[in-house]
Amino acid sequence: MDLVPALEEPLKQSLKSVLGPATAKVMAEHLGLHTVGDLLHHYPRRYEERGQLTHLADLPMDEHVTVVAQVADARLHSFASAKAPRGKGQRLEVTITDGSGRLQLVFFGNGVHKPHKELLPGTRAMFAGKVSVFNRRLQLAHPAYELLRGDGEESVEAWAGALIPIYPATAKLESWKIGKAVQTVLPTAQEALDPLPPALREGRGLVPLPEALLKIHRPHTKADIADARARLKWDEAFVLQVALARRRHADAQLPAVPRRPKADGLLAAFDDRLPFTLTEGQQKVSQEIFADLATEHPMHRLLQGEVGSGKTMVALRAMLAVVDAGGQAVMLAPTEVLAQQHHRSITEMMGELAEGGMLGGAEQATKVVALTGSMGAAARRQALLDLVTGEAGIVIGTHALIEDKVQFHDLGLVVVDEQHRFGVEQRDALRGKSKQPPHLLVMTATPIPRTVAMTVFGDLETSVLDQLPAGRSPIASHVVPAADKPHFLARAWDRIREEVANGHQAYVVCPRIGDDLDDADAKKAGKKKSPEDEAEKRPPLAVLEVADQLDKGPLRGLRVEVLHGRMHPDDKDTVMRRFAAGETDVLVATTVIEVGVNVPNATAMVIMDADRFGVSQLHQLRGRVGRGSAPGLCLLVTEMPEAAAARQRLNAVASTLDGFELSRIDLEQRREGDVLGQAQSGARTSLRVLAVIEDEEVIAEARQEATAVVTADPELEQLPGLRTALDALLDEEREQYLEKG
C-alpha cells in the first residue's frame, strides 16, 4: 500500500541473499507478491502458540495445513514392492503430538534418510502438508518441516515470542519460508508512510503504521495482534472509501442537463392510466430520483429492490420524466430475452403513450424502440434512425446499443438493469454517447448488504425498495432430498400436475443445457470437480435430458418446452411468448429465466441439483413464481446428504424470503473477493484484514471520515502519505474501474 523507495524494492533483490530468486519467483506467480511493500502487507492468517498443535480432530481433509508439534515416536520399516522386490523398500512413520491429539507422518524411499536423522523423539518442529486418510487414520505424506531448535540468537528471537505466525501459503512455498522472508524485510517497515491523517489516527487511538506492521508479523501477545488488526482494517477501509469519495466529489463537479417532468406531460398521462397506486416505497424512491434528475450534475444512483418489488415501474417513470424534459432514455438489459421482455412489458404498460408518430397514438406519446443484436437489417436501420432523430424517446436493448454506429439525438438517462452482469467498460461507452454526461440509474435485484454497497458501489447513492406491491403472493419453499427420500421427488412432480390442472404453469430449472457442445466445453475447460461432484460421480442434470424424461414420464400429457442460452434469439423469444400466453404448461430452462422474466400465471418452480446454484441465484430464480394472485411454490431438489454444507445452504434459502438476510448468509459462506468481484480485482487491492460483514461499523465510519477529508482537501495536498497509499491502491486497472463506475 505504501510505495516509497524502500518498500518499492523488488523482492528478487531484497531476498537474494536469504531465499534466492526461485522463492521470489514463486511469491510473484502464486501469491502476487512483487515488492517489499507487498510482502509486508501479506499478513498471517492465524497464529500458533508455541507447542500447541492445531486441534488434530479438526484438521480439514485434502487441505494444506501447518502444525506445530513434538515428535513422540519414529519407526523405520522395510517392505517389498515392485520397485524394491527384495524387501528393500523403506518407509519412515513418525507420530507427532500436542499432548492431546496425535498425527501420523509418513516418508518413503530416498526421502526417509534426512527425517530419520532429524525427527528424533522429543524434537519440536513445524510441519506442513496435505491431510489425507490411510487405514482410517489422518496422516501427512512427505510433509515439509522446519525444526524449532531454539539454539542460536536468531532462532531464539524468532520462536521465543511463543506466537508463531502462520501465513497464507501454497504447496510450493511453506508458511515458515514466507515468515523468514518477512523477517528479512521487516526492518524496512519503519519507513512505511502512514496514510491516516494524524488527527484521525490519534482520535481513534490507532497505533502508527510501522508499529502495526511489526506487531502483526512479530507479536509478543494477543493484544499486539488485536492492535495491529484494528489499525490495518482502518487503513483498508479508509483508503478505499477515500478513493470512492474522490470519485463522488469529481462527479459532483461534472455538468449535466437538468431534466424536470412537465406538469401535464407524458409522466402525468402515464400516472393517470395506472390501474393501481404505487407503494409508499416506490413513491419515496421516485422522489429521490426526480430530485437527482433536476440537478445540474449527473445522478449516480443504485436502486436495490427485492425480486418483484416494482423496480421496472420506478425506472420507467424516471425515463418518462426525462422524455418530458426533451431528452432520451435508454435501458440496458443483460440478455436479449430480457430486453425483449422489458420492451413488451413497457409498451403494454404505456399503451397508446408508446405509439408516438403513429395513428391512434396519444398526444403526449413517444416512440419506444428495441435494439438488439439479432434484429433484421431493415428493422435495425429504422431503429437507428429513430434514435438519431430523437423520434424514439425510450430505447431498450442489450450491449448492441454500445456499438459505434449507434447515435442518440439527446441522451439524458441511462438505466442499467442487473448491474453485476454488465461490464464497467460497457456502461462507460454508452455514457460517452451524450454531449454531457447523462444521468445514471443502476438497478439490481440481488440484495446487497449495506456495507458491500458502501464498498463496491461506494460511488453511487443508494435507494432501497423493500415493499412488495399489493397483490403479490407469498412463496413457499421446500428442500426435496431426492437421494434420502425418492418419494418426495415423485410428490414434487404430482404438485406440478396439480398446479397445471388448476390452470397454472411451472418452471423446471437445470444447471446445464446438455447438448454435445455443452459436454465438449466442459472437457475443453478441463474443469476441476469439487469434492461434492466427485462424490456424486455424475455431471449436473441437463435441460434437454430432464425435459425428455419428464415428457415421457411424470409429466406425460402436459405441454413441455425447453429454453436455454444456446437457442437462436428468435426461437427463445417464440418459446417465451408461448409460455407467457399460456400455450405451454411447463418450461424446462437454464438460468436464462433468472432475471426479469415475468409470467404471473407461473406458480411453481422445481430447481434440479439446487446445490449447484449460489444462494443469491436461488433467490432470484424463486422470484419468478408467485408474481400473480395465486401463491407460489419453489422446490429445491438435491442429492446432497443432510450433513453437507450445501444442504445447510438450501435450508437457509427455504427458511426465509428476506433477500438481505440471504445475502448476508451468502457473503459469510463465500470469500469476500467473490462478492466484491471486479471492484476488488488486482493483487494489491483485495481486502486482507477487513471483513465486509463483521466490520460494518469500521466501513461506515471510514466512509464518513473519508467524505470529510475529501471535502476539505479534494487533491489531498496536506496528506502525502494518503496520496501515496491511493496511488498504490489505484493501480491502472482500479483507476479505470473507478473512472468508469
Side-chain angles (χ1 to χ4, degrees):
M1 214 186 265
D2 321 89
L3 295 188
V4 295
L7 301 195
E8 224 175 356
E9 189 183 1
L11 284 172
K12 51 178 182 279
Q13 252 118 43
S14 53
L15 297 180
K16 203 183 292 175
S17 55
V18 197
L19 296 170
T23 305
K25 190 167 181 241
V26 172
M27 283 185 174
E29 286 174 7
H30 293 272
L31 296 169
L33 307 176
H34 303 276
T35 66
V36 170
D38 292 344
L39 181 55
L40 286 175
H41 288 288
H42 185 72
Y43 309 131
R45 176 178 287 150
R46 58 189 171 84
Y47 300 84
E48 283 293 359
E49 290 192 51
R50 174 96 197 262
Q52 273 194 354
L53 187 61
T54 311
H55 291 296
L56 293 178
D58 299 340
L59 282 182
M61 281 298 297
D62 282 333
E63 279 197 25
H64 215 77
V65 300
T66 303
V67 292
V68 178
Q70 186 164 352
V71 177
D73 183 38
R75 294 162 190 248
L76 192 60
H77 302 276
S78 298
F79 62 92
S81 70
K83 286 185 181 170
R86 295 191 187 152
K88 290 197 175 162
Q90 289 192 311
R91 181 175 78 248
L92 176 65
E93 287 176 5
V94 178
T95 306
I96 57 173
T97 179
D98 61 349
S100 61
R102 288 175 165 247
L103 177 65
Q104 180 103 19
L105 315 177
V106 59
F107 301 88
F108 293 101
N110 293 335
V112 304
H113 304 309
K114 185 166 179 272
H116 188 223
K117 282 207 294 273
E118 293 182 337
L119 298 180
L120 304 172
T123 308
R124 302 181 77 75
M126 294 173 83
F127 301 92
K130 201 171 183 186
V131 183
S132 57
V133 172
F134 182 70
N135 281 347
R136 296 193 172 179
R137 288 166 70 190
L138 289 179
Q139 71 167 27
L140 297 181
H142 282 284
Y145 62 88
E146 173 87 345
L147 301 180
L148 305 184
R149 290 197 174 87
D151 54 335
E153 265 323 288
E154 184 205 359
S155 192
V156 172
E157 166 65 21
W159 306 117
L163 287 167
I164 300 168
I166 306 295
Y167 288 90
T170 73
K172 289 195 158 61
L173 193 64
E174 296 84 15
S175 166
W176 57 82
K177 283 196 180 156
I178 297 171
K180 267 188 181 169
V182 170
Q183 295 301 332
T184 307
V185 301
L186 203 49
T188 54
Q190 295 302 338
E191 298 179 43
L193 217 50
D194 201 320
L196 294 190
L200 188 162
R201 198 185 73 230
E202 286 151 20
R204 295 189 176 272
L206 299 169
V207 300
L209 181 59
E211 188 183 328
L213 291 172
L214 283 169
K215 282 184 168 175
I216 199 141
H217 290 296
R218 194 182 276 178
H220 291 292
T221 62
K222 287 182 178 167
D224 283 353
I225 300 169
D227 285 352
R229 288 180 70 82
R231 162 62 215 242
L232 295 166
K233 279 180 181 183
W234 254 94
D235 278 20
E236 287 184 4
F238 181 70
V239 175
L240 186 55
Q241 290 301 335
V242 166
L244 294 164
R246 289 186 76 195
R247 180 78 208 124
R248 287 196 302 277
H249 185 269
D251 281 339
Q253 315 307 310
L254 291 173
V257 179
R259 311 279 179 174
R260 296 182 186 88
K262 286 192 267 216
D264 56 350
L266 187 55
L267 176 62
F270 175 75
D271 283 350
D272 289 345
R273 285 177 51 97
L274 283 180
F276 52 82
T277 51
L278 299 173
T279 65
E280 264 178 60
Q282 285 175 316
Q283 288 174 2
K284 177 175 152 285
V285 170
S286 287
Q287 288 314 317
E288 290 173 349
I289 290 171
F290 291 151
D292 283 358
L293 290 174
T295 63
E296 296 186 348
H297 305 291
M299 166 173 80
H300 285 92
R301 190 165 283 278
L302 173 70
L303 173 56
Q304 292 192 59
E306 272 288 14
V307 178
S309 58
K311 290 184 303 301
T312 310
M313 173 61 69
V314 170
L316 175 55
R317 292 183 74 240
M319 291 162 84
L320 295 172
V322 169
V323 175
D324 258 354
Q328 290 169 293
V330 57
M331 180 185 267
L332 285 177
T335 64
E336 291 218 354
V337 166
L338 195 49
Q340 310 267 19
Q341 174 112 12
H342 275 319
H343 183 253
R344 214 165 25 244
S345 64
I346 283 174
T347 45
E348 277 167 20
M349 281 195 273
M350 287 176 65
E352 72 232 24
L353 296 175
E355 294 169 359
M358 290 192 255
L359 267 174
E363 190 189 335
Q364 304 96 327
T366 186
K367 204 165 183 182
V368 179
V369 168
L371 185 61
T372 60
S374 61
M375 284 170 83
R380 188 179 173 76
R381 244 192 329 272
Q382 183 59 49
L384 290 172
L385 191 64
D386 289 341
L387 262 63
V388 79
T389 59
E391 189 85 7
I394 293 178
V395 188
I396 297 156
T398 56
H399 50 250
L401 275 172
I402 296 164
E403 290 172 12
D404 291 341
K405 286 197 281 289
V406 179
Q407 295 299 322
F408 292 87
H409 176 65
D410 178 15
L411 180 58
L413 171 67
V414 177
V415 179
V416 180
D417 191 12
E418 287 307 318
Q419 144 76 22
H420 61 285
R421 292 168 171 248
F422 218 87
V424 172
E425 290 78 11
Q426 294 163 312
R427 289 205 324 246
D428 186 52
L430 195 61
R431 288 213 311 226
K433 291 187 175 291
S434 184
K435 296 176 197 70
Q436 288 195 322
H439 298 281
L440 174 70
L441 180 66
V442 173
M443 301 198 296
T444 176
T446 306
I448 304 166
R450 172 170 161 261
T451 43
V452 179
M454 283 193 293
T455 309
V456 181
F457 303 113
D459 55 337
L460 302 175
E461 298 301 327
T462 304
S463 296
V464 178
L465 273 178
D466 46 14
Q467 279 174 297
L468 289 188
R472 277 297 164 90
S473 304
I475 304 169
S477 305
H478 303 283
V479 177
V480 177
D484 316 350
K485 299 177 179 170
H487 60 287
F488 276 33
L489 184 57
R491 175 74 189 116
W493 302 127
D494 291 345
R495 282 292 287 112
I496 297 292
R497 296 191 81 96
E498 288 164 18
E499 290 296 315
V500 173
N502 288 331
H504 296 301
Q505 294 160 277
Y507 299 99
V508 177
V509 181
C510 304
R512 213 166 50 101
I513 298 172
D515 52 14
D516 297 341
L517 254 174
D518 206 29
D519 302 325
D521 283 356
K523 282 193 185 112
K524 201 159 67 187
K527 286 183 183 158
K528 277 192 179 166
K529 290 190 176 171
S530 72
E532 288 166 354
D533 286 7
E534 287 291 0
E536 287 175 9
K537 290 284 185 268
R538 69 161 177 78
L541 290 169
V543 166
L544 301 177
E545 293 149 20
V546 168
D548 192 44
Q549 288 161 9
L550 292 177
D551 204 19
K552 292 174 180 161
L555 302 185
R556 190 166 53 248
L558 301 187
R559 297 167 299 177
V560 177
E561 288 212 55
V562 300
L563 179 71
H564 59 75
R566 247 191 232 122
M567 290 163 65
H568 187 277
D570 290 349
D571 297 340
K572 275 193 274 195
D573 199 43
T574 306
V575 168
M576 263 327 292
R577 276 175 193 273
R578 275 204 295 267
F579 189 64
E583 294 163 18
T584 307
D585 298 319
V586 180
L587 189 62
V588 184
T590 55
T591 53
V592 290
I593 61 149
E594 176 189 349
V595 181
V597 171
N598 185 27
V599 180
N601 192 45
T603 52
M605 175 178 285
V606 178
I607 303 179
M608 307 302 291
D609 279 342
D611 46 89
R612 315 273 177 144
F613 299 97
V615 170
S616 299
Q617 208 172 20
L618 291 169
H619 183 57
Q620 287 280 342
L621 287 165
R622 170 171 64 184
R624 300 301 117 215
V625 296
R627 298 177 79 85
S629 53
L633 172 69
C634 177
L635 302 173
L636 307 167
V637 180
T638 178
E639 292 189 1
M640 286 285 122
E642 201 164 345
R647 264 290 274 282
Q648 308 306 316
R649 215 170 54 230
L650 296 182
N651 291 339
V653 174
S655 69
T656 178
L657 289 172
D658 181 341
F660 285 92
E661 177 55 30
L662 286 174
S663 70
R664 287 184 82 93
I665 293 169
D666 194 20
L667 191 54
E668 278 157 12
Q669 290 185 343
R670 298 197 284 158
R671 288 197 348 273
E672 250 106 22
D674 300 345
V675 181
L676 300 180
Q678 200 176 355
Q680 282 296 331
S681 59
R684 287 206 197 98
T685 59
S686 57
L687 301 183
R688 296 176 178 86
V689 284
L690 193 70
V692 172
I693 290 282
E694 285 164 34
D695 298 319
E696 191 161 343
E697 273 177 38
V698 175
I699 293 170
E701 288 172 16
R703 182 180 166 116
Q704 274 182 333
E705 294 272 14
T707 307
V709 163
V710 171
T711 305
D713 179 8
E715 294 305 312
L716 308 177
E717 284 167 1
Q718 309 303 311
L719 299 164
L722 179 54
R723 258 209 332 273
T724 302
L726 263 185
D727 292 342
L729 177 74
L730 300 180
D731 50 21
E732 278 174 50
E733 179 182 16
R734 173 76 189 180
E735 182 74 62
Q736 286 170 359
Y737 179 84
L738 288 175
E739 279 305 312
K740 295 170 181 174

